[in-house]
Amino acid sequence: MSIHPWSRLRRRGLAAAAAVAVAIATLPAAATATAAPGPRPPTTSSSAPATPAEPAITTAFLAEGEAPAYKAGRYVVVMRDEPVIAYEGGVAGITATKPAQGEKFEPDTAAANSYRGHLRARQNRAARAAGAAPVYTYTEAVSGFAAELSAEQADQLAKDPAVLSVTPDELRRPDTANSPDFLGLTGSKGVWEQLGGTKNPRRGAGSGVIIGVLDSGIRPEHPSFADRGMPKPKGWRGTCDTGDDATFRCSNKLVGARYFVQGFGTEGLAAYESLSPLDVDGHGTHTASTAAGNDGVTATIDGVPRGVVSGMAPAAHVAAYKVCWDDDAGGGGCASSDIVAAIDRAVADGVDVINFSISGTSSNYLDPTELAFMYAADGGVFVAASSGNTGPAPSTTNHPSPWLTTVAASTHTVIEGTLVTGDGGRYVGVSNSGTLETAAPMVLADAIPAAGADAESAALCLPGSLDAAAAAGAVVVCDRGVNPRVEKSQAVKDAGGVAMVLLNPTPGSLDPDAHVLPTVHLQNTARDAVRAYVAGNPAPTGQILGTNDGSTTQVPEVAAFSSRGPSLGAGGDLLKPDISAPGVGVLAAYSPVKGGRSFDYASGTSMSAPHIAGLAALIEQEHRRWSPAAVKSAMMTTARDHASAASNDPFASGAGFVEPRKFLDPGLVYDAGQSDWWDFLAGQGVTYADGTPVSTNPIDASDLNLASIAIGDLVGEQTVTRTITNVSGRPTVFRASVDGLDGVDVTVTPDRVRLAPGRSADVTIRFTAAGAPLGEYATGDLTWTSDRGHVARSPLAVRPLPVSAPAHVGVPVDATSVEIPVVPGFTGTLGTQVTGLVPGDVTAASAANAGGGRFVAGDPRNYTQDLTVTAGQLVRIELRSANPAGDDLDLYVTEKDGDEVVAAATTPAADEVISIDDWEAGEYTIHVQAWSVAAAAPTASFDVRVFQADGDAGTLVLEPAEVPVGVGVPVTLTGSLRTDAETPYFGRVELTDGSRVIGQTAISVG
């Protein structure tokens, strides 16, 4: 049997998170943290260590209504085994099936079929043992299955040693004029001409490359997907599953289509939905045509020609995988179980690129979708994913994984008009729907609600909310929000209005929608003045002109809605998003079902991701043997600046705005593969069940070989490594330079590298804090310039912090002193404040095996103990098992005489900890549930330790309490212990810089 690193993989609990929390103590504390239910193998340690290790810690109360245990529902179960695309051998009689670099995955070989059967047999055993009936089985991009599970079944599977993880099936959502000209693809010297042009569909730009689009389906009859004599692509093994639509047809352009609905379910689908790959929503058709739609297609909206459109790789092939569905409640989404099934099929079908314009996790590298993409990338499939549309708030970016390319959205064209009011006021905004040359009366929508409608509904111009008599012949002023923007102009038209002014109530994007009547969309900065004019004049008038005199608009700029970093993953040591591309007012193919249009404008990172997917196809056409990481690097290092400094913030745009005119010849690349990703995951605290890392070379995330460098916790000095590879085809000398990063000194060694074609060199980059504000990011660029004219630029983001200290230090019960190693990030005086040390109330207890059931407060098998908390105290509850090798204990706290869980620690370990500062005063009950105990001893024995501290108890004395420190110079704080040498004690040391707390370390004795 093959034993892959995932086979005994377990992620550390919140002890790892607590360590990070100390390093970033200047940031607000997390609102909620609880260990998630997960696989529960027995630990391998046979005795407690002499120096107690810190178990996982729950650091805050659970959110209201949050449950720490499994509930009945659909889950995605990920097995421990390698999927077929990543299998490197090890099962007796079955040879490896992982493709060599630059080769396509071959799923139809005898070895692949044998190994697939092996995986299914293991999946079936696990499912049968739990009484589960899978609705999906996955073998190609990840090994596992999806199934409806009771709470008990989910718990049982989570304990199965053959299972990696059990994750609830989540509902995700899509992340919702001609960009080829703006990107330099067109023209006699454009990128397309370098790759065969657009006239010959057999040898044109993108030819031979297959782009898989996971979305809401596709319109096969659309001219953007017409077969113009294209050949069938080599290596394609997919099919055209037409479902219930007998008219659906594939071709050599649209080479395949499938649909996946078991996770979302067919009950409650919208009446207009089609159980087939047919796109009724429009989102999937738009993204597919943006990536690979035919060149030279005339786009017409409401009978008006809007221009000629093309996808980024017009000669590439498209494969559609419908995973997103509309429901009859006006919503919809994309189930993660359907998504993983689609990825599984896409890699088996033979796609080269995947576009994923769908939301996702913001921090979990072990999310099933992210894992499937990791294996896909390892098999040579490039993945472009949307960053999300929840900007400009920080730390909102999705898809944190380094093996895929996360894309931000930028503007790329100026489509403006001007509102001219009767008093001579001029307001420039986005306008794409004709003009109103003759002045007409103006009216505020909230001033003319229809009978039965309120002013709030009217202000938003909801359908039917406007009084027809008052709106007739008028320019109606509406607020953005709640309902679709184009629906607002339709509501104005239905009420008899002749034009609309759309106002942003808060800062936001300006979108060149194809409205049904003349419309100008204005920023919130114009809102007060426009409304004041209309409300303050007896006969206000307005007109919408097609000119934009006085406009200061520049492109490209990052859209306000585009999600920003810093990423919530890796403690700020990975930069996301990676790059930006056009994502505002993108004109492309659409579906006529909902809006009646075969073309439409759309905005979102959903629109920017397929730009990158299509552009990746162009690179893959030129460089067939490049890895997805190399393709990503080529795009990032050749990206260009946006128009303003705000958009050049790496947390907004990553490396910058994609520049196709340079990415085919980047000079050098930063390459990476699965072994690097294992090293990265090991550095993130992903371990085997016995606590050893999944890689013998765990690395800091900052050391992953990416075309960007981020350090979220620079304390004094840190050196990171990179490997650069010459892909210029000629002997080349590269010289390094650094721009920006004010207050941080940077040294690159060596700063001059001579490389033969295809050769690589390791370089180090040392960062030293030198006056940059503590707790704030400094940004800049590292650039390699070659003697042949290449310029490869990488974004830098470094945050100096005031201190680094361990989250927890434990010493034996009879210790007389304790040491805390500290690295300061400032020069001055390091102060200390002690809370505790206080002796614990220790109770010997036992609990019967609960058999894997869900936690129930009144279960008589559980051990219970009452707890009284006084306000303002540091409270810590510990479980110490008598049999840590065989027991798995879970710790819960409820309000006394209640069943709602307010705190929990539910890791796979026998020992658990809950530690909360300023616990709300009240009466509580502690519950201990035993999951697994030896058959010969069905009752688990353990100690319950409770500590409550609200001041310095005098039992830990740090001498001196203040020490002079310098940046990056380690110091060791030594404290004498005045305990009874028999009772466990607990406390905390806070570190200060003379004016504020900058870090803290928990101290356990015994």
Side-chain angles (χ1 to χ4, degrees), residues 20-30 395 566 568 571-572 712 774-777 799 801-802 996-998:
V20 174
V22 170
I24 57 174
T26 56
L27 298 181
S395 296
L568 294 177
L774 298 178
E776 299 179 15
Y777 276 96
R799 180 176 58 179
L801 291 181
R996 58 175 179 155
V997 175
I998 57 174

PDB file of all heavy atoms in Angstrom, residues 20-30 395 566 568 571-572 712 774-777 799 801-802 996-998:
ATOM      1  N   VAL A  20       1.659  32.349  16.577  1.00  0.00           N
ATOM      2  CA  VAL A  20       1.578  33.473  15.654  1.00  0.00           C
ATOM      3  C   VAL A  20       0.993  34.688  16.354  1.00  0.00           C
ATOM      4  O   VAL A  20       1.418  35.809  16.163  1.00  0.00           O
ATOM      5  CB  VAL A  20       0.740  33.094  14.419  1.00  0.00           C
ATOM      6  CG1 VAL A  20       0.534  34.306  13.524  1.00  0.00           C
ATOM      7  CG2 VAL A  20       1.432  31.986  13.643  1.00  0.00           C
ATOM      8  N   ALA A  21       0.000  34.436  17.207  1.00  0.00           N
ATOM      9  CA  ALA A  21      -0.680  35.547  17.867  1.00  0.00           C
ATOM     10  C   ALA A  21       0.287  36.361  18.704  1.00  0.00           C
ATOM     11  O   ALA A  21       0.185  37.576  18.791  1.00  0.00           O
ATOM     12  CB  ALA A  21      -1.825  35.025  18.733  1.00  0.00           C
ATOM     13  N   VAL A  22       1.273  35.693  19.320  1.00  0.00           N
ATOM     14  CA  VAL A  22       2.253  36.438  20.104  1.00  0.00           C
ATOM     15  C   VAL A  22       3.117  37.292  19.186  1.00  0.00           C
ATOM     16  O   VAL A  22       3.406  38.438  19.459  1.00  0.00           O
ATOM     17  CB  VAL A  22       3.125  35.468  20.926  1.00  0.00           C
ATOM     18  CG1 VAL A  22       4.287  36.211  21.550  1.00  0.00           C
ATOM     19  CG2 VAL A  22       2.278  34.843  22.022  1.00  0.00           C
ATOM     20  N   ALA A  23       3.486  36.720  18.054  1.00  0.00           N
ATOM     21  CA  ALA A  23       4.349  37.463  17.130  1.00  0.00           C
ATOM     22  C   ALA A  23       3.668  38.691  16.574  1.00  0.00           C
ATOM     23  O   ALA A  23       4.324  39.644  16.192  1.00  0.00           O
ATOM     24  CB  ALA A  23       4.785  36.558  15.987  1.00  0.00           C
ATOM     25  N   ILE A  24       2.341  38.692  16.533  1.00  0.00           N
ATOM     26  CA  ILE A  24       1.617  39.845  15.988  1.00  0.00           C
ATOM     27  C   ILE A  24       0.742  40.461  17.064  1.00  0.00           C
ATOM     28  O   ILE A  24      -0.372  40.848  16.850  1.00  0.00           O
ATOM     29  CB  ILE A  24       0.775  39.442  14.768  1.00  0.00           C
ATOM     30  CG1 ILE A  24      -0.215  38.318  15.104  1.00  0.00           C
ATOM     31  CG2 ILE A  24       1.644  39.003  13.629  1.00  0.00           C
ATOM     32  CD1 ILE A  24      -1.167  37.997  13.972  1.00  0.00           C
ATOM     33  N   ALA A  25       1.321  40.548  18.242  1.00  0.00           N
ATOM     34  CA  ALA A  25       0.540  41.018  19.377  1.00  0.00           C
ATOM     35  C   ALA A  25       0.057  42.442  19.217  1.00  0.00           C
ATOM     36  O   ALA A  25      -0.848  42.870  19.921  1.00  0.00           O
ATOM     37  CB  ALA A  25       1.373  40.903  20.656  1.00  0.00           C
ATOM     38  N   THR A  26       0.643  43.206  18.311  1.00  0.00           N
ATOM     39  CA  THR A  26       0.194  44.580  18.112  1.00  0.00           C
ATOM     40  C   THR A  26      -1.091  44.652  17.325  1.00  0.00           C
ATOM     41  O   THR A  26      -1.699  45.693  17.225  1.00  0.00           O
ATOM     42  CB  THR A  26       1.277  45.384  17.379  1.00  0.00           C
ATOM     43  OG1 THR A  26       1.587  44.727  16.155  1.00  0.00           O
ATOM     44  CG2 THR A  26       2.528  45.501  18.211  1.00  0.00           C
ATOM     45  N   LEU A  27      -1.519  43.535  16.740  1.00  0.00           N
ATOM     46  CA  LEU A  27      -2.757  43.515  15.971  1.00  0.00           C
ATOM     47  C   LEU A  27      -3.904  43.148  16.880  1.00  0.00           C
ATOM     48  O   LEU A  27      -3.731  42.555  17.946  1.00  0.00           O
ATOM     49  CB  LEU A  27      -2.659  42.495  14.832  1.00  0.00           C
ATOM     50  CG  LEU A  27      -1.579  42.787  13.794  1.00  0.00           C
ATOM     51  CD1 LEU A  27      -1.620  41.716  12.712  1.00  0.00           C
ATOM     52  CD2 LEU A  27      -1.780  44.156  13.185  1.00  0.00           C
ATOM     53  N   PRO A  28      -5.168  43.454  16.485  1.00  0.00           N
ATOM     54  CA  PRO A  28      -6.309  43.056  17.284  1.00  0.00           C
ATOM     55  C   PRO A  28      -6.367  41.544  17.426  1.00  0.00           C
ATOM     56  O   PRO A  28      -6.040  40.799  16.514  1.00  0.00           O
ATOM     57  CB  PRO A  28      -7.518  43.578  16.471  1.00  0.00           C
ATOM     58  CG  PRO A  28      -6.953  44.650  15.611  1.00  0.00           C
ATOM     59  CD  PRO A  28      -5.547  44.245  15.312  1.00  0.00           C
ATOM     60  N   ALA A  29      -6.795  41.083  18.585  1.00  0.00           N
ATOM     61  CA  ALA A  29      -6.915  39.647  18.807  1.00  0.00           C
ATOM     62  C   ALA A  29      -8.023  39.071  17.962  1.00  0.00           C
ATOM     63  O   ALA A  29      -8.989  39.742  17.624  1.00  0.00           O
ATOM     64  CB  ALA A  29      -7.213  39.360  20.283  1.00  0.00           C
ATOM     65  N   ALA A  30      -7.885  37.789  17.634  1.00  0.00           N
ATOM     66  CA  ALA A  30      -8.932  37.119  16.865  1.00  0.00           C
ATOM     67  C   ALA A  30     -10.208  37.076  17.670  1.00  0.00           C
ATOM     68  O   ALA A  30     -10.200  36.924  18.876  1.00  0.00           O
ATOM     69  CB  ALA A  30      -8.491  35.706  16.502  1.00  0.00           C
ATOM     70  N   SER A 395      -7.301  42.166   4.009  1.00  0.00           N
ATOM     71  CA  SER A 395      -7.346  40.741   4.368  1.00  0.00           C
ATOM     72  C   SER A 395      -8.657  40.085   3.967  1.00  0.00           C
ATOM     73  O   SER A 395      -9.252  39.318   4.723  1.00  0.00           O
ATOM     74  CB  SER A 395      -7.078  40.563   5.864  1.00  0.00           C
ATOM     75  OG  SER A 395      -5.771  40.986   6.190  1.00  0.00           O
ATOM     76  N   PRO A 566      -3.425  41.946   3.367  1.00  0.00           N
ATOM     77  CA  PRO A 566      -2.605  40.752   3.489  1.00  0.00           C
ATOM     78  C   PRO A 566      -3.441  39.487   3.611  1.00  0.00           C
ATOM     79  O   PRO A 566      -4.524  39.505   4.204  1.00  0.00           O
ATOM     80  CB  PRO A 566      -1.787  41.004   4.761  1.00  0.00           C
ATOM     81  CG  PRO A 566      -1.867  42.480   4.999  1.00  0.00           C
ATOM     82  CD  PRO A 566      -3.193  42.898   4.475  1.00  0.00           C
ATOM     83  N   LEU A 568      -4.814  36.022   4.914  1.00  0.00           N
ATOM     84  CA  LEU A 568      -4.996  35.472   6.251  1.00  0.00           C
ATOM     85  C   LEU A 568      -4.210  34.176   6.442  1.00  0.00           C
ATOM     86  O   LEU A 568      -4.092  33.684   7.556  1.00  0.00           O
ATOM     87  CB  LEU A 568      -6.478  35.218   6.509  1.00  0.00           C
ATOM     88  CG  LEU A 568      -7.367  36.461   6.576  1.00  0.00           C
ATOM     89  CD1 LEU A 568      -8.823  36.064   6.759  1.00  0.00           C
ATOM     90  CD2 LEU A 568      -6.920  37.377   7.707  1.00  0.00           C
ATOM     91  N   GLY A 571       0.388  33.569   8.113  1.00  0.00           N
ATOM     92  CA  GLY A 571       0.865  34.629   8.988  1.00  0.00           C
ATOM     93  C   GLY A 571       1.417  35.837   8.276  1.00  0.00           C
ATOM     94  O   GLY A 571       2.282  36.537   8.801  1.00  0.00           O
ATOM     95  N   GLY A 572       0.923  36.099   7.066  1.00  0.00           N
ATOM     96  CA  GLY A 572       1.404  37.247   6.310  1.00  0.00           C
ATOM     97  C   GLY A 572       2.675  36.976   5.535  1.00  0.00           C
ATOM     98  O   GLY A 572       3.252  37.898   4.952  1.00  0.00           O
ATOM     99  N   GLY A 712       5.681  38.616   7.264  1.00  0.00           N
ATOM    100  CA  GLY A 712       4.679  39.219   8.131  1.00  0.00           C
ATOM    101  C   GLY A 712       5.165  39.497   9.531  1.00  0.00           C
ATOM    102  O   GLY A 712       4.462  40.140  10.314  1.00  0.00           O
ATOM    103  N   LEU A 774       7.024  50.109  13.304  1.00  0.00           N
ATOM    104  CA  LEU A 774       6.737  48.761  13.780  1.00  0.00           C
ATOM    105  C   LEU A 774       5.252  48.459  13.636  1.00  0.00           C
ATOM    106  O   LEU A 774       4.396  49.298  13.926  1.00  0.00           O
ATOM    107  CB  LEU A 774       7.168  48.616  15.240  1.00  0.00           C
ATOM    108  CG  LEU A 774       8.661  48.801  15.516  1.00  0.00           C
ATOM    109  CD1 LEU A 774       8.949  48.693  17.003  1.00  0.00           C
ATOM    110  CD2 LEU A 774       9.496  47.801  14.734  1.00  0.00           C
ATOM    111  N   GLY A 775       4.952  47.261  13.183  1.00  0.00           N
ATOM    112  CA  GLY A 775       3.560  46.844  13.022  1.00  0.00           C
ATOM    113  C   GLY A 775       2.937  47.266  11.715  1.00  0.00           C
ATOM    114  O   GLY A 775       1.771  46.971  11.475  1.00  0.00           O
ATOM    115  N   GLU A 776       3.693  47.945  10.841  1.00  0.00           N
ATOM    116  CA  GLU A 776       3.185  48.380   9.551  1.00  0.00           C
ATOM    117  C   GLU A 776       4.033  47.772   8.431  1.00  0.00           C
ATOM    118  O   GLU A 776       5.243  47.594   8.585  1.00  0.00           O
ATOM    119  CB  GLU A 776       3.201  49.906   9.440  1.00  0.00           C
ATOM    120  CG  GLU A 776       2.342  50.615  10.475  1.00  0.00           C
ATOM    121  CD  GLU A 776       2.425  52.128  10.338  1.00  0.00           C
ATOM    122  OE1 GLU A 776       2.910  52.605   9.282  1.00  0.00           O
ATOM    123  OE2 GLU A 776       1.994  52.821  11.270  1.00  0.00           O
ATOM    124  N   TYR A 777       3.396  47.482   7.320  1.00  0.00           N
ATOM    125  CA  TYR A 777       4.118  46.918   6.188  1.00  0.00           C
ATOM    126  C   TYR A 777       4.901  47.991   5.436  1.00  0.00           C
ATOM    127  O   TYR A 777       4.386  49.079   5.174  1.00  0.00           O
ATOM    128  CB  TYR A 777       3.161  46.237   5.221  1.00  0.00           C
ATOM    129  CG  TYR A 777       2.815  44.818   5.599  1.00  0.00           C
ATOM    130  CD1 TYR A 777       1.653  44.532   6.309  1.00  0.00           C
ATOM    131  CD2 TYR A 777       3.656  43.758   5.251  1.00  0.00           C
ATOM    132  CE1 TYR A 777       1.335  43.222   6.650  1.00  0.00           C
ATOM    133  CE2 TYR A 777       3.342  42.449   5.593  1.00  0.00           C
ATOM    134  CZ  TYR A 777       2.176  42.183   6.296  1.00  0.00           C
ATOM    135  OH  TYR A 777       1.872  40.899   6.634  1.00  0.00           O
ATOM    136  N   ARG A 799       6.818  43.424   7.196  1.00  0.00           N
ATOM    137  CA  ARG A 799       6.261  44.116   8.373  1.00  0.00           C
ATOM    138  C   ARG A 799       7.173  43.910   9.582  1.00  0.00           C
ATOM    139  O   ARG A 799       7.197  42.825  10.169  1.00  0.00           O
ATOM    140  CB  ARG A 799       4.864  43.602   8.697  1.00  0.00           C
ATOM    141  CG  ARG A 799       4.243  44.278   9.914  1.00  0.00           C
ATOM    142  CD  ARG A 799       2.820  43.820  10.157  1.00  0.00           C
ATOM    143  NE  ARG A 799       2.734  42.382  10.348  1.00  0.00           N
ATOM    144  CZ  ARG A 799       1.606  41.731  10.586  1.00  0.00           C
ATOM    145  NH1 ARG A 799       0.465  42.407  10.616  1.00  0.00           N
ATOM    146  NH2 ARG A 799       1.600  40.428  10.755  1.00  0.00           N
ATOM    147  N   LEU A 801       8.139  43.923  13.368  1.00  0.00           N
ATOM    148  CA  LEU A 801       7.351  43.791  14.590  1.00  0.00           C
ATOM    149  C   LEU A 801       8.219  44.106  15.808  1.00  0.00           C
ATOM    150  O   LEU A 801       9.448  43.990  15.754  1.00  0.00           O
ATOM    151  CB  LEU A 801       6.777  42.385  14.710  1.00  0.00           C
ATOM    152  CG  LEU A 801       5.688  42.008  13.710  1.00  0.00           C
ATOM    153  CD1 LEU A 801       5.206  40.592  13.964  1.00  0.00           C
ATOM    154  CD2 LEU A 801       4.522  42.985  13.779  1.00  0.00           C
ATOM    155  N   PRO A 802       7.587  44.483  16.913  1.00  0.00           N
ATOM    156  CA  PRO A 802       8.366  44.909  18.077  1.00  0.00           C
ATOM    157  C   PRO A 802       9.026  43.775  18.844  1.00  0.00           C
ATOM    158  O   PRO A 802       9.992  44.009  19.559  1.00  0.00           O
ATOM    159  CB  PRO A 802       7.329  45.641  18.944  1.00  0.00           C
ATOM    160  CG  PRO A 802       6.020  45.057  18.540  1.00  0.00           C
ATOM    161  CD  PRO A 802       6.146  44.749  17.080  1.00  0.00           C
ATOM    162  N   ARG A 996       3.297  50.208  25.901  1.00  0.00           N
ATOM    163  CA  ARG A 996       2.224  49.321  25.476  1.00  0.00           C
ATOM    164  C   ARG A 996       2.685  47.874  25.563  1.00  0.00           C
ATOM    165  O   ARG A 996       3.884  47.583  25.569  1.00  0.00           O
ATOM    166  CB  ARG A 996       1.804  49.635  24.037  1.00  0.00           C
ATOM    167  CG  ARG A 996       2.954  49.524  23.067  1.00  0.00           C
ATOM    168  CD  ARG A 996       2.574  49.717  21.630  1.00  0.00           C
ATOM    169  NE  ARG A 996       3.736  49.613  20.762  1.00  0.00           N
ATOM    170  CZ  ARG A 996       3.692  49.276  19.484  1.00  0.00           C
ATOM    171  NH1 ARG A 996       2.528  49.006  18.924  1.00  0.00           N
ATOM    172  NH2 ARG A 996       4.800  49.210  18.761  1.00  0.00           N
ATOM    173  N   VAL A 997       1.704  46.959  25.597  1.00  0.00           N
ATOM    174  CA  VAL A 997       1.996  45.536  25.559  1.00  0.00           C
ATOM    175  C   VAL A 997       2.295  45.149  24.118  1.00  0.00           C
ATOM    176  O   VAL A 997       1.510  45.437  23.208  1.00  0.00           O
ATOM    177  CB  VAL A 997       0.812  44.715  26.113  1.00  0.00           C
ATOM    178  CG1 VAL A 997       1.081  43.219  25.949  1.00  0.00           C
ATOM    179  CG2 VAL A 997       0.567  45.057  27.576  1.00  0.00           C
ATOM    180  N   ILE A 998       3.420  44.490  23.888  1.00  0.00           N
ATOM    181  CA  ILE A 998       3.819  44.136  22.531  1.00  0.00           C
ATOM    182  C   ILE A 998       3.904  42.623  22.325  1.00  0.00           C
ATOM    183  O   ILE A 998       4.122  42.160  21.203  1.00  0.00           O
ATOM    184  CB  ILE A 998       5.175  44.768  22.167  1.00  0.00           C
ATOM    185  CG1 ILE A 998       6.256  44.347  23.162  1.00  0.00           C
ATOM    186  CG2 ILE A 998       5.044  46.287  22.100  1.00  0.00           C
ATOM    187  CD1 ILE A 998       7.654  44.824  22.787  1.00  0.00           C
TER     188      ILE A 998
END
